[in-house]
Amino acid sequence: MQKQWWHDAVVYQIYPRSFCDSNHDGIGDLPGIISKLDYLKNLGVNVLWLSPVYQSPMDDNGYDISDYQAIAAEFGTMEDMKCLLDQANRRNIKVVMDLVVNHTSDEHPWFISAKSSKSSPYRDFYIWRDANADGSPPNDLGSIFGGGAWEWDATTEQYYFHLFSKRQPDLNWENPNVQQAVHDMMNWWIEQGIGGFRLDVIDLIGKEIDKKITGNGPRLHSLLQQMNRATFGDKDLLTVGETWGATPEIAKLYSDPERNELSMVFQFEHITLTWKDGDKWQPIPLKLSEFKQVLTKWQVELENQGWNSLFWNNHDLPRAVSKYGDDAKYRVESAKMLATTLHFLKGTPYIYQGEELGMTNVEFHSLDEYQDIETLNFYKVRTEAGVSHEEMMAALHENSRDNARTPMQWNDQEYAGFSTVKPWLKVNPNYVDINVEQALADSDSIFYHYQTLIQLRKTMPVIVYGHFTPVCESHEAVFAYLREHEDDRILVVNNFSKEPQTLSLSEVAGLGSVEHLIGNYPPRDNLNGELTLLPFESFAVKLQR
Ligand code: TEU
Ligand code: CA
């Protein structure tokens, strides 16, 4: 495998709206991020993925862009953006921009022109169809945010297509002018010195609406190869696609270097295991056996071809410690266990802001406290369809995107040090105990656990390139594995339950002499015989050959 700089990178995702507010308007901003670069440097990450900061009416918090080459006023100015790039680069931190090109905002000048007249030069930048004879939409495709995917435009008497909110019209990727305009815009950003792109819902751009194909459409990979050639292909950037529909086979198409598409993709198979029949509003408990199977499959399948991205959560997902750990009694232990499990896998790890503190889901008691468009839309759709208020509030508590979006907890002052005024979304009341100041003052904190994991990855090629083998594969509560590279062997053992667990590692050779690398309880000096793991106990050790 040819080495790439992003193979041993660790990425930190920032949701700018919720990270740090520098000018006291309750909304995080670019100067706020700049003021925290030393904190991120101290953590040890070398790439930042910024959720969108472009000009936007904020119908979907910036995933609805009205100008790709301007910064939203609430986040700052283009000068601030250039300063962020400069200050980050000085600390050897690269900045990856979020590229949202499946759709634009309905306030983008392209769409304003497109809907003004059928003869607009931008009409074909979007997807328009006539109504059926009875006035109904062309087909029954639905929006991912609830309701139908077609919106009637009374001025030009056609429907336009939107896979997300009706204020996010889909671009028509069959139009070469759309391709050209997006490529030009990407090249402009590349010239500003960015480190790469995270490509929002990129598996939706090759769609074929009339056949009702939206994900993984027939034109997808040729469009990506074309984009690669026209923009980042020869620039040595990190590119990661958000691909909800990826199987390992599909992920190899994207990330096999021979194919010149992307560095890697985010796959969501492990995430949707807790969604009943793929529906996030019907959460079900995690079955560790399935979780292990999925993670193992991805490690094995992408061993020699393609590259994995590793993540437990992001700005759309619940907090990892709440979903896969225990956010009450064993919050610290389970957050460290999850971190260890992920950071010893093969692939590029992503940390979502606050994960390094073990930030948790938030409990909102009233619907008014939620701000997210998907949450509010689905509350309406589902309660109108007969789901009770209580059931829906429980589902929101588990899976609303706002769980990830409560303000970053910097200290125990009012509003958690995120802002001096009431933030746009309520702070999680547990900020009094869970915050950066506390974490930095405690040498045993989750923060320092992450810092150590990142250091280990930087110094041990076995963590980056080692061969993966599952250990104790049939154990119901423990996820263990080996990583092996040249003369190095690492064993990683993780108890995913709050109960003690017994296991024997006799299938592993070389237990006699182990060197402790990291753990969440005092190091063990002996791994022979039957072990009893403590609640959420987790450790990694170096084994002799
Ligand atoms: O997400 C795509 C997407 O399908 C999820 O948002 C989905 O709606 C659900 O929340 C999964 O839990 C991307 C962005 O990450 C998201 O923030 C945007 O809202 C969306 O695209 C539209 O740009
Ligand atoms: Ca602000």
Side-chain angles (χ1 to χ4, degrees):
M1 180 172 302
Q2 204 197 326
K3 293 194 177 168
Q4 303 290 346
W5 69 264
W6 37 264
H7 281 164
D8 63 1
V10 178
V11 185
Y12 187 92
Q13 183 191 354
I14 293 183
Y15 196 68
R17 205 175 184 75
S18 305
F19 193 62
C20 180
D21 173 21
S22 72
N23 64 345
H24 322 297
D25 63 355
I27 299 174
D29 46 54
L30 293 172
I33 298 173
I34 296 168
S35 74
K36 300 298 182 185
L37 285 172
D38 287 328
Y39 166 76
L40 298 166
K41 184 76 194 161
N42 182 21
L43 178 60
V45 298
N46 59 336
V47 182
L48 303 181
W49 151 25
L50 284 196
S51 276
V53 290
Y54 317 92
Q55 187 178 301
S56 161
M58 301 288 164
D59 188 47
D60 184 18
N61 287 356
Y63 283 89
D64 49 319
I65 298 168
S66 55
D67 185 344
Y68 290 98
Q69 284 165 239
I71 301 296
E74 61 208 275
F75 293 146
T77 62
M78 193 54 81
E79 278 312 300
D80 295 328
M81 186 65 220
K82 289 184 176 164
C83 175
L84 170 61
L85 287 171
D86 178 52
Q87 290 296 323
N89 289 339
R90 281 180 201 209
R91 292 168 176 82
N92 291 316
I93 295 176
K94 296 183 199 263
V95 177
V96 164
M97 296 297 278
D98 213 318
L99 185 75
V100 188
V101 291
N102 172 68
H103 45 267
T104 68
S105 159
D106 64 345
E107 291 187 21
H108 194 290
W110 297 339
F111 190 71
I112 292 175
S113 170
K115 72 165 187 195
S116 69
S117 147
K118 277 186 171 164
S119 59
S120 154
Y122 291 100
R123 183 73 173 177
D124 287 338
F125 267 50
Y126 298 88
I127 302 168
W128 301 90
R129 294 287 184 277
D130 289 330
N132 292 326
D134 64 355
S136 62
N139 62 34
D140 61 359
L141 280 172
S143 155
I144 293 166
F145 285 168
W150 294 99
E151 182 70 12
W152 180 248
D153 175 49
T155 317
T156 57
E157 302 197 309
Q158 278 194 315
Y159 281 98
Y160 68 85
F161 186 75
H162 61 92
L163 273 172
F164 293 90
S165 104
K166 65 180 179 205
R167 302 206 50 196
Q168 293 167 298
D170 279 39
L171 283 166
N172 172 19
W173 273 87
E174 283 176 46
N175 181 348
N177 295 328
V178 167
Q179 300 162 10
Q180 184 70 49
V182 170
H183 297 163
D184 289 349
M185 174 273 285
M186 292 172 71
N187 284 328
W188 184 85
W189 275 106
I190 291 170
E191 279 163 27
Q192 309 310 308
I194 64 166
F197 295 105
R198 175 267 186 185
L199 298 89
D200 190 60
V201 290
I202 201 65
D203 59 351
L204 303 179
I205 68 169
K207 59 177 84 72
E208 220 173 277
I209 296 304
D210 302 313
K211 291 191 182 152
K212 299 212 266 186
I213 300 172
T214 54
N216 291 307
R219 276 174 289 272
L220 173 59
H221 294 282
S222 61
L223 284 171
L224 282 174
Q225 285 168 5
Q226 188 194 3
M227 179 188 281
N228 177 303
R229 275 195 303 276
T231 64
F232 50 76
D234 57 355
K235 305 293 194 312
D236 204 17
L237 300 182
L238 182 161
T239 51
V240 52
E242 186 203 22
T243 59
W244 282 80
T247 60
E249 282 313 312
I250 294 174
K252 284 187 248 187
L253 298 179
Y254 290 111
S255 65
D256 179 352
E258 310 259 289
R259 292 174 48 89
N260 296 311
E261 295 188 18
L262 303 175
S263 315
M264 64 191 110
V265 294
F266 293 122
Q267 61 84 16
F268 292 86
E269 247 194 283
H270 59 301
I271 299 290
T272 53
L273 289 175
T274 58
W275 300 5
K276 186 167 181 243
D277 306 323
D279 176 9
K280 71 185 275 187
W281 307 114
Q282 294 189 66
I284 48 176
L286 180 74
K287 279 204 198 103
L288 187 71
S289 53
E290 291 177 355
F291 197 64
K292 283 169 62 169
Q293 234 169 37
V294 168
L295 295 169
T296 300
K297 176 176 78 182
W298 280 86
Q299 289 290 299
V300 171
E301 293 276 331
L302 270 61
E303 158 104 62
N304 297 316
Q305 203 188 2
W307 189 256
N308 271 301
S309 58
L310 310 168
F311 70 101
W312 293 146
N313 46 200
N314 64 30
H315 66 295
D316 293 332
L317 300 173
R319 290 283 178 179
V321 71
S322 299
K323 187 55 120 186
Y324 309 107
D326 170 20
D327 62 10
K329 186 167 176 200
Y330 296 110
R331 188 183 65 85
V332 173
E333 291 82 353
S334 64
K336 289 180 182 173
M337 182 281 289
L338 289 167
T340 300
T341 304
L342 188 99
H343 283 254
F344 278 96
L345 290 173
K346 184 168 175 183
T348 301
Y350 289 73
I351 300 169
Y352 178 67
Q353 66 183 42
E355 180 187 331
E356 76 279 18
L357 309 174
M359 275 178 65
T360 70
N361 278 357
V362 69
E363 194 152 20
F364 286 156
H365 296 287
S366 153
L367 186 67
D368 302 340
E369 293 181 316
Y370 286 102
Q371 300 288 338
D372 173 35
I373 181 169
E374 183 195 53
T375 298
L376 299 175
N377 283 1
F378 269 99
Y379 176 85
K380 191 164 180 289
V381 167
R382 293 294 167 92
T383 51
E384 279 171 9
V387 178
S388 73
H389 170 77
E390 290 69 29
E391 190 178 330
M392 220 30 218
M393 288 302 283
L396 301 190
H397 178 42
E398 283 240 358
N399 278 342
S400 168
R401 306 196 297 183
D402 281 341
N403 282 308
R405 301 176 181 184
T406 62
M408 178 76 175
Q409 295 166 200
W410 295 102
N411 59 39
D412 64 3
Q413 308 290 297
E414 195 177 18
Y415 308 128
F418 162 77
S419 180
T420 52
V421 302
K422 191 166 175 251
W424 71 276
L425 180 67
K426 211 173 129 179
V427 176
N428 192 320
N430 63 22
Y431 74 91
V432 184
D433 302 310
I434 305 171
N435 61 63
V436 168
E437 206 174 273
Q438 181 281 332
L440 293 178
D442 170 9
S443 62
D444 208 22
S445 68
I446 302 167
F447 176 92
Y448 291 117
H449 190 86
Y450 272 88
Q451 190 187 54
T452 305
L453 287 168
I454 297 168
Q455 283 312 318
L456 286 168
R457 177 168 289 260
K458 278 189 191 155
T459 49
M460 299 185 75
V462 57
I463 301 176
V464 183
Y465 294 109
H467 172 74
F468 168 95
T469 319
V471 169
C472 297
E473 227 181 330
S474 60
H475 200 293
E476 289 291 323
V478 174
F479 182 32
Y481 57 85
L482 278 173
R483 300 291 309 282
E484 295 168 285
H485 181 69
E486 295 170 358
D487 285 336
D488 287 331
R489 296 173 72 222
I490 290 180
L491 170 68
V492 189
V493 176
N494 307 288
N495 177 5
F496 268 72
S497 85
K498 53 164 76 88
E499 313 299 334
Q501 298 290 334
T502 56
L503 91 163
S504 153
L505 293 165
S506 55
E507 71 193 80
V508 179
L511 290 178
S513 148
V514 302
E515 179 191 327
H516 179 81
L517 294 173
I518 193 166
N520 57 358
Y521 287 94
R524 291 169 171 277
D525 44 26
N526 191 341
L527 297 179
N528 285 311
E530 189 175 78
L531 302 181
T532 302
L533 298 180
L534 298 166
F536 294 106
E537 181 169 354
S538 153
F539 56 80
V541 295
K542 226 178 129 178
L543 301 171
Q544 298 306 333
R545 264 282 170 207

